[in-house]
Amino acid sequence: MRGYYATTALAMLLGCAAMTASAKDQAASFAAAEAAADDWAAKTEAQMTDDERFSLLHGFMPIPIGPYADPEWQAKWPKDVIPGAGYVAGVPRLGIPSQRATDASLGVTNPFGIRKGDSATALPAGLALGASFNPDLAFAGAEAVASEARAKGFNVLLGGGMNLIRDPRNGRNFEYISEDPLLSGVMGGAAVRGAQSAGVVSTVKHFSLNSNETNRHTWNAEIDEAAHRESDLLAFQIAIERGHPGSVMCAYNLVNGQKACGNDHLLNTVLKKDWRYKGWVMSDWGAVSGADFAVKGLDQQAGEQLDKQVWFDAPLKAKLADGSLTRDRLSDMVRRILRSMKANGLVDAGPAPAVDMAAHAAVARRIAEQGIVLLKNDTNALPLAANVGSVAVIGRNAHVGVLSGGGSSQGLPPRGWAASIPVGGGEGSIGAWRIERWFAGAPLAALREALPKAHVGFDPGLYPQDAAALAARSDVAIVFVSKYEAEGFDSPDLSLPGNQDAIVEATVAANPNTIVVLETGNPVAMPWLDKVKAVVAAWYPGQEGAAAIADVLTGKVNPSGRLPVSFPASTDTLPRPAIPGYGTPENTHVTATMNEGSDVGYRWNARTGVKALFPFGHGLSYTRFATDGLRTDGATASFTVRNSGERAGATVAQLYLVSRDGKPVRRLVGFQRVELAPGAERTIRLTIDPRLLADWNGTGWTIAKGDYRFALGEDAETLSTPVAVSLKARVWQDRS
Ligand code: BGC
């Protein structure tokens, strides 16, 4: 299937004329399978009673803890419920299975350990995946997660999260992929394909503009339609056309004054009419506030006990009775659910194949390895010399494990949580999720294993004096700094919490040969940056993170990750220097104007003439690469990439649109991760999605006639001499 989707996506971009015979065959068999699913859905729906129809339209969260620890309620649960994120009863007489949903894209979760001892592969943060710029890895990671989900009895995966990163303080960015619509769309689409190849429905979320966690239920994102189509919507559109997710999860927030899950424009016009999306829209848990959301395009109320009412049962039946819900729409809702279940093998599912946990651990390790970004490396401080005598490892919990992000995407890996620390605070609805969890597998142990001849000492980073003392008597100091982020909360700024900056300052004052490793779910400020020799962004590196970090530090792995998000020079350079409504009580109404429009992240910096601390696309290697010979006609581009250094390694070739008819712009229009042996060279050919050159014109896309300039980028700020192309005017309707 993988080949099929890649070729169809390409064929869609190139136009049917360019389709190869085998792509045509694959497209035809895909279309036939889709038609068969539609046909089955229509026939099955026609045989249903209304009670059966409505039963598919809502489901609950089978989570027997906290306010839901009600034995009487639990006793009523159907036999096939699996405690987890979601359950929707099936209709056995018609062969319709129940829907058993689990979070999420970073691994099959086990919220609060409700399924005793049930662990699953815990992948690195979505940002690490984004940093790999490697769609094959997105496919492999999602396939691993989904096959474990299926083996545990789940058939709907609530992954993947792919909101664009508009604010580097958003608590959930670690679940997402990037600030760029092309990168997020391509990686998101590959992840959907990977998940669905395992025979589960995959969900893209949270549609749309769920860019902050502050007051997330009452946050109103105001955005201009063109800006939205060219940014967050484009990311979803690309992922949907490449991946064909069975379901789309709408967001908690409001978009232009309407709740995203009851947003007629977003759901009915954009998603279903313009994009011809055939799957179903499921709500986020607790995002529904009326039965009329069904008319506005929502197909299923999920996690219903989190809403004030089960809207999609009696209240929606009343709407059918009074005619405000048409029979056609009721059938449409049901058919959308049924067709996605059928198309993804849920209806005819045989026994789940056995899972290979060792292979999945290897995928987690590859994502960590390819996602780690070497931000700075003065005087080749890294990799550590093989004969290094003494190393000071400094920092909170570096002897315990690696940090993971909190909330509904939090996994329980096979080796478990080495530490679970209730953070406290945040009394709101998500306060209970605030538990800082460290996955077993400690960087200290991994470094000791990787450097058997060195003396590797440890200081927990409690007191600057202690850190300095250990650093002073070591050849090199490695400080691990971390920042816990979680669903439900944003952080006020980019600072590292506690006294971590002081620990780095004291360490580097004692030993200039200091390296900092960041375990964060976001960009952070580094006031000590000029003083330290090297900085490594390891994100939340997942269950195999410690070994991957040690391999990068010691040079066994040549770093190849590139930033999927700009590291801002300061919050003053952001479109919103302060988070609107930050610090107000939960559910305070706040309107956040997306004044950056579609110029998110590096595009905003280019527009405002601001330099990032580290730009999007930035990442160093232990070898050197040279790109050359850019040729483009505006539809395709080719150039060569050469490894001109002494080590094997990988780079990410990046092609940017830099001006349109003399007007500067900055848009990533193509990328490819390339692995090269020393001295090797490869010609890269990229296809440019025309939407990335265009503007949204109200009903479709317009490429204005004129001179378009393209440049290869080391990153979004370091660009080669542009190549100009003269393009003809082109206007087309939106369609996927
Ligand atoms: C999150 C979703 C998640 C759902 C079910 C919500 O709070 O926003 O991403 O899938 O819970 O756990």
Side-chain angles (χ1 to χ4, degrees):
M1 286 307 262
R2 183 194 308 217
Y4 160 69
Y5 284 115
T7 32
T8 40
L10 188 65
M12 273 185 301
L13 294 176
L14 295 176
C16 288
M19 255 184 165
T20 63
S22 98
K24 270 190 192 157
D25 287 352
Q26 288 172 335
S29 74
F30 177 70
E34 293 269 291
D38 290 345
D39 192 47
W40 178 83
K43 286 198 180 115
T44 307
E45 188 271 335
Q47 298 170 56
M48 292 169 83
T49 65
D50 277 350
D51 279 346
E52 287 169 341
R53 290 189 176 94
F54 279 97
S55 73
L56 291 189
L57 304 185
H58 61 98
F60 64 97
M61 186 177 200
I63 181 162
I65 52 152
Y68 312 116
D70 173 358
E72 257 179 58
W73 176 58
Q74 284 165 42
K76 290 191 216 135
W77 287 2
K79 292 248 167 334
D80 63 345
V81 163
I82 307 175
Y87 181 85
V88 179
V91 183
R93 82 173 179 95
L94 295 172
I96 304 168
S98 60
Q99 292 162 49
R100 300 170 302 273
T102 179
D103 287 300
S105 38
L106 311 183
V108 179
T109 62
N110 184 351
F112 307 102
I114 49 174
R115 299 188 309 277
K116 273 220 163 341
D118 186 16
S119 64
T121 304
L123 300 180
L127 285 175
L129 183 66
S132 78
F133 281 70
N134 185 346
D136 290 343
L137 213 43
F139 184 102
E143 183 185 40
V145 172
S147 58
E148 289 178 30
R150 186 161 165 212
K152 292 176 195 298
F154 294 107
N155 55 11
V156 176
L157 181 69
L158 305 175
M162 52 166 295
N163 292 95
L164 283 197
I165 295 170
R166 283 182 180 262
D167 191 324
R169 298 156 296 195
N170 173 31
R172 275 189 107 168
N173 284 344
F174 74 90
E175 291 184 51
Y176 305 147
I177 299 167
S178 86
E179 66 187 23
D180 181 77
L182 178 67
L183 179 58
S184 292
V186 169
M187 299 291 279
V192 170
R193 293 197 316 269
Q196 294 191 163
S197 74
V200 305
V201 160
S202 170
T203 310
V204 287
K205 66 189 190 184
H206 310 85
F207 191 71
S208 168
L209 290 171
N210 191 176
S211 64
N212 286 77
E213 290 296 288
T214 299
N215 292 315
R216 63 181 180 172
H217 291 272
T218 44
W219 171 281
N220 174 31
E222 290 280 350
I223 193 164
D224 169 76
E225 175 67 3
H228 200 186
R229 295 273 189 165
E230 294 165 13
S231 58
D232 294 61
L233 289 180
L234 183 55
F236 277 108
Q237 188 179 13
I238 292 172
I240 290 169
E241 66 198 19
R242 285 175 174 245
H244 303 280
S247 183
V248 170
M249 187 192 291
C250 48
Y252 283 129
N253 51 281
L254 295 81
V255 175
N256 293 334
Q258 300 297 315
K259 288 205 127 206
C261 287
N263 196 309
D264 179 64
H265 175 71
L266 266 187
L267 305 182
N268 282 333
T269 303
V270 176
L271 181 65
K272 293 180 178 176
K273 182 170 150 284
D274 292 351
W275 299 353
R276 300 174 195 179
Y277 177 66
K278 289 165 88 180
W280 90 90
V281 179
M282 82 167 65
S283 73
D284 201 343
W285 275 227
V288 187
S289 43
D292 61 321
F293 280 30
V295 180
K296 311 262 176 61
L298 179 66
D299 300 305
Q300 189 181 61
Q301 180 187 8
E304 64 195 9
Q305 80 265 37
L306 273 68
D307 286 314
K308 281 212 183 81
Q309 223 178 312
V310 181
W311 297 105
F312 278 23
D313 192 17
L316 195 56
K317 285 177 177 159
K319 290 213 172 290
L320 181 68
D322 74 17
S324 48
L325 176 78
T326 63
R327 221 157 236 293
D328 277 359
R329 172 65 185 130
L330 174 63
S331 294
D332 173 55
M333 294 165 83
V334 173
R335 287 180 191 183
R336 285 172 175 277
I337 296 168
L338 292 180
R339 69 154 307 279
S340 282
M341 293 175 74
K342 180 73 174 175
N344 289 295
L346 278 60
V347 175
D348 314 294
V355 293
D356 180 346
M357 293 300 279
H360 294 177
V363 172
R365 183 144 170 188
R366 274 208 303 286
I367 297 173
E369 288 171 359
Q370 294 186 20
I372 289 174
V373 184
L374 179 61
L375 292 174
K376 170 174 178 171
N377 193 18
D378 280 2
T379 63
N380 293 333
L382 288 174
L384 298 172
N387 60 355
V388 61
S390 53
V391 179
V393 171
I394 295 166
R396 179 167 173 259
N397 287 348
H399 65 312
V400 167
V402 290
L403 187 56
S404 69
S408 62
S409 69
Q410 171 102 66
L412 171 59
R415 281 183 294 165
W417 295 316
S420 283
I421 305 156
V423 173
E427 290 79 22
S429 56
I430 196 106
W433 293 98
R434 259 162 89 103
I435 303 175
E436 198 185 276
R437 289 201 160 112
W438 296 75
F439 291 162
L444 176 63
L447 275 165
R448 285 189 170 143
E449 201 181 314
L451 296 167
K453 293 197 187 119
H455 173 79
V456 182
F458 177 65
D459 177 84
L462 294 177
Y463 301 104
Q465 294 89 329
D466 290 355
L470 179 65
R473 56 176 191 269
S474 307
D475 295 336
V476 49
I478 306 174
V479 190
F480 285 82
V481 296
S482 58
K483 177 161 174 156
Y484 173 71
E485 313 255 9
E487 178 177 344
F489 308 90
D490 293 332
S491 47
D493 55 34
L494 302 172
S495 65
L496 290 167
N499 68 342
Q500 297 184 91
D501 287 331
I503 297 292
V504 178
E505 294 280 3
T507 304
V508 73
N511 186 340
N513 208 9
T514 291
I515 291 150
V516 178
V517 178
L518 311 173
E519 286 179 44
T520 70
N522 260 322
V524 288
M526 293 174 248
W528 30 258
L529 180 62
D530 289 345
K531 299 177 195 158
V532 302
K533 283 267 162 60
V535 181
V536 172
W539 314 109
Y540 300 141
Q543 67 172 51
E544 305 300 320
I549 291 170
D551 285 350
V552 166
L553 294 177
T554 56
K556 195 163 158 201
V557 166
N558 191 350
S560 59
R562 300 303 186 99
L563 288 182
V565 55
S566 309
F567 272 48
S570 122
T571 48
D572 293 340
T573 66
L574 298 173
R576 284 166 294 287
I579 298 173
Y582 188 85
T584 54
E586 194 183 20
N587 294 333
T588 302
H589 288 266
V590 51
T591 287
T593 308
M594 302 293 113
N595 49 302
E596 71 276 31
S598 62
D599 287 327
V600 179
Y602 68 90
R603 287 164 56 163
W604 172 253
N605 287 349
R607 184 164 123 192
T608 53
V610 157
K611 289 241 170 290
L613 184 66
F614 290 109
F616 175 90
H618 170 75
L620 304 174
S621 165
Y622 299 148
T623 185
R624 294 181 306 280
F625 295 95
T627 46
D628 199 19
L630 173 61
R631 293 157 67 97
T632 178
D633 59 4
T636 58
S638 68
F639 51 90
T640 58
V641 182
R642 182 180 164 76
N643 181 346
S644 51
E646 285 80 48
R647 278 171 184 258
T651 187
V652 176
Q654 303 163 44
L655 181 67
Y656 292 89
L657 173 69
V658 296
S659 73
R660 296 189 298 184
D661 236 20
K663 211 172 152 232
V665 291
R666 195 70 47 91
R667 294 181 180 182
L668 181 73
V669 298
F671 64 87
Q672 190 164 318
R673 184 176 190 278
V674 198
E675 288 190 22
L676 289 172
E681 181 175 291
R682 185 160 337 143
T683 301
I684 305 298
R685 291 193 170 78
L686 299 175
T687 303
I688 299 171
D689 185 325
R691 290 169 295 195
L692 296 166
L693 310 184
D695 289 321
W696 178 256
N697 63 23
T699 56
W701 301 91
T702 299
I703 292 182
K705 173 179 177 309
D707 166 275
Y708 286 68
R709 291 181 185 226
F710 299 87
L712 294 166
E714 281 296 304
D715 55 55
E717 290 179 7
T718 315
L719 301 164
S720 68
T721 310
V723 167
V725 188
S726 168
L727 293 183
K728 289 204 215 85
R730 188 174 156 200
V731 179
W732 70 101
Q733 291 301 303
D734 199 18
R735 47 183 311 176
S736 25

